[in-house]
Amino acid sequence: MTRTGKAFSWLAGILVVLIVGIVVFVMTFDWNRLKPTINKKVSTELNRPFAIRGDLGVDWARPTDETGWRSWVPWPHIHAEDIVLGNPPEIPAVSMVTLERVDASLAPLALLGKQVYIPRIKLKQPDASLRRLANGKNNWTFELANSSTDDQAKDQKSAWSFKIDDIVFDQGVIAYDDAIAHAKLKATVDPLGKPLPFSEVMGNSGAAKKVAGKKAPDYVFGWKVDGTYNGESLSGSGKIGGMLALRDPDGLFPLQADVRSGKTRVAVAGTLSDPLNLGALDLRLQFSGQSLSQLHKLTGIVLPDTPPYSTDGHLSAELKRAKGAIYRYQNFNGKIGDSDIHGSLRYQVSKPRPSLNGELVSNQLRFADLAPLIGADSNQEKVNRGDKATQPSDKVLPADKFDTKQWSTMDADVKFTAKRIEHGESLPLSDLYTHLVLNNGTLLMDPLRFGVAGGNLNSTIRLEGQRTPMRGMADLHARGFQLQKLLPNVESMRRSLGQLNGDAKISSTGNSVADLLGTSNGDVRLLINDGVISRNLMEIAGLNVGNYLVGKLFGDDEVKINCAAADIGIKNGLAATRLFVFDTENAVINISGNVNLATERMDLSVDPESKGMRVLTLRSPLYVKGTFKHPDAGVKAGPLIARGVAAVALGAVVAPAAALLALISPSDVDSNQCGGMLKGMKK
């Protein structure tokens, strides 16, 4: 062999020995000797404690899924045991994440192409504890030690790339403690065993159709959660996609959840795009409960007290908006009590307050379902809904308090239409429309309009909830109520062509309907022409006192009303009559006195003057006293009233007569029987 050949042989031999030595060194090296360096380096970089406290090792094995000559190249399989990642200094808890063991395989040939390729990472018993303090500090935001502030350095891309095909774990536990959201939750996450197709969960919903043109994501993990949120117990379960789906900004991450808090249930299923940056939501949303007001603790959205409800619709959300996230609950259908509800709502997280906008429609509204809005539902209905009984047993006016503190947390602009109102025979309402605006604690309904007995009740209601006590104002106008429709069960009234018209303007303070009426100031005016009055009418209306008075005044006969007129002034909750007169075919009935709306007590005198001596029952005055709950009526003791008293009283009411004439259309003054009587009073 030549000298050159010998040199190459020696060189090759040395190289082989060197390679074998390196391989032997690598395969027999005690990797635990590197732990102090790794722990220190990672802790410094993350600005929080990190430690591999158990064994760190590397095993070499040939890959089973490679073919050809590549299958002969051994891969390093790295494992590390008992890993702990701590919290930043301002978070008092010891650790944020603990792992019993981590296993990962590294593709060595990919390193030649400047790629760190890990086909799979397997985590054993991962346990994470996420915390946020009252000052806003949290442990899931990392401040890296070497994060560059130079814009040019940030734009520079590394020549190396990083790729992971799969992350799996046996069971994970996540604890969440949030002092701002008042949440303490614990969730467990388990693999489903095999991926569950998205279509099997979503069916033919709108969210499923949107995903149809893309690669449908699979559900990979199942989860359960228990704890408290805003002082209410919370539990639920659901499914999510795989870990790697979280890293794809262009992909869709599947979500499914069924959560209960108290008597409220929320179920969602759909997708989240760009999940690590909370891009956008596209979900089917179903929720139900005892009252919409109970959703405030879960969502922060201010909604009214209602009977039990349920809805089903499509929720979409734009979460990455500089001016605040926008949530749209579109084309939903549902029920509130026995009433149907449909529509679309838009909720925006904005400054200084979030806002709610939209339009709602009810094809058939049960009037009783509106009672909780003003606290007019019974104590038993409140108890059935899970609320406390608040109505005093001896009071009639609703005493339930408005929760005005919540009004300042959100603004709203919502239109509501009820096409048909279901009601009792004694309440001839046909439809409802209102435009509700809530702005910085002030609630305005303008208009609040009811269709009533062929006419309309148009009103404007303003409640200033930011004041203590609340200040309220109401401006109501009743026009064209047809008496034959207003009292359909009175036989003789069915032939009547008469109408009821009225105005009321009231201002007050208080935090319930009872308080508002008990402090009210204003005026109420009312006109009725061409009607009838009878004991039968009072029985139908359920007015026992009225039944007694009509019997005393007219016997059991049905008496025609030419005109009934009322002008009542209210001051500090005391309603006093300026004019309250019935002009019937037999007599003129003058009612005087007052009604105390604060104490719910009455003190009224009923003074009749007969138009003919044949009506003997009209010769004595009557009284109405007692409370709204327990009224009392009877014949006044003392001498018979003198004829002409009522007529004299009517002659002294020029101003009320002029005000009441305004309730009659100018073209109808002469044909309306009240017109002649009121013009006579003015003269």
Side-chain angles (χ1 to χ4, degrees):
M1 181 180 292
T2 63
R3 181 175 298 180
T4 302
K6 290 181 178 180
F8 275 110
S9 297
W10 277 101
L11 184 61
I14 293 171
L15 184 60
V16 169
V17 171
L18 182 61
I19 292 174
V20 171
I22 292 174
V23 170
V24 171
F25 174 78
V26 170
M27 297 184 70
T28 60
F29 180 73
D30 183 4
W31 295 94
N32 288 296
R33 296 170 62 183
L34 295 179
K35 286 196 303 183
T37 302
I38 295 173
N39 293 344
K40 182 178 180 181
K41 178 66 176 176
V42 175
S43 297
T44 301
E45 184 65 26
L46 297 181
N47 275 324
R48 62 178 68 189
F50 173 84
I52 302 173
R53 301 189 299 192
D55 184 50
L56 174 65
V58 178
D59 300 318
W60 296 81
R62 290 167 54 187
T64 57
D65 52 354
E66 292 283 355
T67 59
W69 65 270
R70 293 175 177 270
S71 64
W72 291 92
V73 179
W75 284 25
H77 298 276
I78 306 167
H79 69 268
E81 297 178 348
D82 194 8
I83 301 172
V84 177
L85 175 64
N87 282 305
E90 59 269 20
I91 304 296
V94 176
S95 62
M96 174 185 174
V97 178
T98 61
L99 289 165
E100 187 175 317
R101 182 181 171 100
V102 176
D103 289 275
S105 298
L106 178 66
L109 295 178
L111 297 174
L112 300 177
K114 295 186 176 181
Q115 182 185 59
V116 178
Y117 172 43
I118 300 175
R120 171 176 289 194
I121 292 180
K122 184 177 180 180
L123 310 177
K124 185 176 182 181
Q125 298 293 312
D127 190 326
S129 179
L130 307 179
R131 298 196 67 184
R132 181 165 64 168
L133 306 181
N135 60 11
K137 295 287 186 178
N138 64 71
N139 65 349
W140 58 80
T141 299
F142 288 83
E143 297 180 1
L144 302 182
N146 295 324
S147 57
S148 174
T149 58
D150 182 71
D151 292 337
Q152 184 176 359
K154 289 182 180 180
D155 293 336
Q156 280 186 333
K157 292 185 177 180
S158 172
W160 286 81
S161 62
F162 188 76
K163 180 182 177 183
I164 300 177
D165 278 350
D166 198 9
I167 300 176
V168 298
F169 55 86
D170 48 1
Q171 184 185 73
V173 178
I174 302 173
Y176 181 68
D177 188 345
D178 193 330
I180 294 178
H182 305 290
K184 286 190 176 183
L185 304 169
K186 185 176 182 180
T188 58
V189 185
D190 291 287
L192 292 176
K194 64 176 182 179
L196 180 64
F198 184 76
S199 58
E200 288 191 18
V201 176
M202 295 301 300
N204 294 321
S205 66
K209 293 177 181 178
K210 288 191 175 184
V211 175
K214 303 180 181 180
K215 182 180 178 181
D218 290 329
Y219 293 96
V220 177
F221 295 100
W223 58 268
K224 292 183 179 180
V225 65
D226 285 286
T228 60
Y229 183 79
N230 263 340
E232 295 282 346
S233 63
L234 185 145
S235 63
S237 61
K239 304 174 186 67
I240 56 174
M243 299 292 292
L244 291 179
L246 290 170
R247 296 178 55 87
D248 186 1
D250 299 319
L252 298 175
F253 185 75
L255 298 170
Q256 186 267 329
D258 191 337
V259 178
R260 297 176 185 268
S261 177
K263 294 185 178 181
T264 300
R265 178 188 178 190
V266 179
V268 298
T271 60
L272 170 65
S273 63
D274 192 9
L276 287 184
N277 295 303
L278 296 179
L281 285 170
D282 190 352
L283 306 169
R284 178 187 179 185
L285 169 61
Q286 300 169 287
F287 60 96
S288 60
Q290 289 296 305
S291 173
L292 283 171
S293 63
Q294 295 175 3
L295 282 172
H296 182 261
K297 288 186 177 181
L298 280 176
T299 64
I301 300 175
V302 179
L303 296 170
D305 274 325
T306 66
Y309 68 91
S310 63
T311 72
D312 186 349
H314 176 221
L315 176 68
S316 61
E318 302 171 39
L319 302 175
K320 289 178 59 178
R321 296 185 76 258
K323 294 184 179 180
I326 293 179
Y327 299 82
R328 294 181 177 88
Y329 191 36
Q330 297 172 302
N331 302 320
F332 65 82
N333 300 293
K335 294 190 71 176
I336 299 177
D338 292 325
S339 307
D340 67 288
I341 189 74
H342 317 272
S344 295
L345 294 171
R346 177 181 180 272
Y347 180 77
Q348 180 170 3
V349 181
S350 54
K351 298 292 184 180
R353 293 170 299 279
S355 61
L356 179 70
N357 301 272
E359 294 192 21
L360 304 174
V361 175
S362 177
N363 294 317
Q364 181 161 307
L365 173 67
R366 182 171 173 263
F367 190 75
D369 293 333
L370 294 176
L373 299 180
I374 58 172
D377 47 340
S378 68
N379 281 337
Q380 186 58 50
E381 289 171 327
K382 290 183 175 71
V383 172
N384 292 341
R385 199 170 62 241
D387 296 333
K388 294 181 179 179
T390 57
Q391 185 67 23
S393 59
D394 60 338
K395 298 292 184 180
V396 173
L397 299 177
D400 205 15
K401 302 294 183 182
F402 294 102
D403 190 1
T404 57
K405 292 181 180 179
Q406 295 182 2
W407 294 8
S408 299
T409 63
M410 186 188 79
D411 291 341
D413 189 328
V414 178
K415 297 176 181 178
F416 176 64
T417 301
K419 296 181 179 180
R420 180 177 179 273
I421 296 179
E422 178 186 329
H423 51 77
E425 293 182 352
S426 60
L427 193 65
L429 302 176
S430 56
D431 56 83
L432 163 67
Y433 172 79
T434 188
H435 182 188
L436 182 150
V437 176
L438 179 63
N439 182 27
N440 194 23
T442 295
L443 177 67
L444 175 66
M445 287 183 283
D446 185 18
L448 173 59
R449 182 170 63 241
F450 288 93
V452 184
N456 288 292
L457 175 61
N458 289 286
S459 57
T460 298
I461 308 294
R462 181 183 177 88
L463 300 174
E464 298 177 0
Q466 78 275 25
R467 294 175 176 264
T468 304
M470 179 175 69
R471 186 168 73 177
M473 288 161 279
D475 191 3
L476 300 93
H477 305 276
R479 293 292 184 272
F481 290 12
Q482 305 296 319
L483 295 183
Q484 57 180 254
K485 295 181 179 180
L486 192 64
L487 302 165
N489 292 326
V490 181
E491 182 67 31
S492 59
M493 196 69 80
R494 295 175 186 174
R495 301 185 298 272
S496 171
L497 300 177
Q499 292 185 353
L500 180 151
N501 296 292
D503 286 336
K505 193 168 186 179
I506 299 171
S507 62
S508 56
T509 59
N511 280 63
S512 69
V513 172
D515 291 342
L516 288 169
L517 291 175
T519 60
S520 57
N521 295 278
D523 301 282
V524 178
R525 297 184 177 95
L526 190 71
L527 274 184
I528 299 175
N529 71 286
D530 193 17
V532 295
I533 190 167
S534 68
R535 179 176 289 187
N536 182 40
L537 171 59
M538 296 296 103
E539 289 177 350
I540 290 173
L543 300 176
N544 295 329
V545 171
N547 189 12
Y548 172 85
L549 294 176
V550 170
K552 283 293 183 183
L553 293 172
F554 307 115
D556 292 328
D557 296 334
E558 205 166 60
V559 179
K560 188 175 184 298
I561 300 174
N562 299 320
C563 177
D567 188 333
I568 300 171
I570 306 174
K571 187 174 183 180
N572 297 326
L574 188 67
T577 60
R578 300 189 189 104
L579 170 68
F580 198 166
V581 60
F582 286 82
D583 180 20
T584 76
E585 60 183 347
N586 290 339
V588 175
I589 312 297
N590 191 38
I591 300 176
S592 60
N594 59 70
V595 174
N596 193 319
L597 298 172
T599 62
E600 298 191 10
R601 299 194 68 86
M602 302 175 288
D603 187 4
L604 299 172
S605 294
V606 182
D607 299 313
E609 180 174 346
S610 174
K611 291 182 177 179
M613 293 302 295
R614 67 187 184 280
V615 187
L616 299 179
T617 54
L618 298 179
R619 298 177 65 188
S620 295
L622 307 175
Y623 68 83
V624 178
K625 295 186 178 182
T627 66
F628 295 176
K629 190 80 170 182
H630 303 290
D632 175 38
V635 179
K636 279 189 176 182
L640 301 179
I641 63 170
R643 289 179 55 82
V645 172
V648 171
L650 296 181
V653 287
V654 176
L660 286 164
L661 267 172
L663 297 178
I664 307 175
S665 172
S667 60
D668 296 331
V669 170
D670 293 331
S671 60
N672 190 308
Q673 296 191 54
C674 288
M677 185 187 80
L678 293 174
K679 286 194 293 185
M681 290 183 188
K682 285 186 65 177
K683 295 177 182 178

